[in-house]
Amino acid sequence: MSFLMPKMPAMPAIPAPQPLPDPPKYDDADRAAETAAKQAKLRAGRVGRSATILTSASGLDDDETSTKKTLLGG
């Protein structure tokens, strides 16, 4: 009754591994130039909160007083 459980075929031979290519250099001129360009682009694109603040730390620079009456009677 070997027809119910046939023999497993033989495994093919595993090929020898090929040597890996040399890894890329980490500190090269192209990488340094690319990093410098990326940092310059980021620095140029930054706009801090100081561009949105229209008053100084002591308040408005104008000495105008409001003449509109308030609900407090002032």
Side-chain angles (χ1 to χ4, degrees), residues 12-18:
I14 298 175
Q18 297 179 357

Side-chain angles (χ1 to χ4, degrees), residues 2-71:
S2 66
F3 66 90
L4 294 176
M5 297 176 65
K7 290 185 180 181
M8 295 291 291
M11 293 290 291
I14 298 175
Q18 297 179 357
L20 295 174
D22 292 334
K25 302 249 187 237
Y26 184 74
D27 297 328
D28 59 345
D30 293 336
R31 185 175 175 89
E34 181 182 335
T35 304
K38 188 184 290 186
Q39 290 294 329
K41 184 178 177 184
L42 287 173
R43 207 174 301 120
R46 284 191 184 136
V47 176
R49 274 190 290 167
S50 63
T52 62
I53 297 174
L54 301 177
T55 60
S56 65
S58 61
L60 291 173
D61 293 332
D62 299 338
D63 289 334
E64 297 177 16
T65 58
S66 177
T67 56
K68 184 177 177 182
K69 293 188 177 184
T70 63
L71 293 176

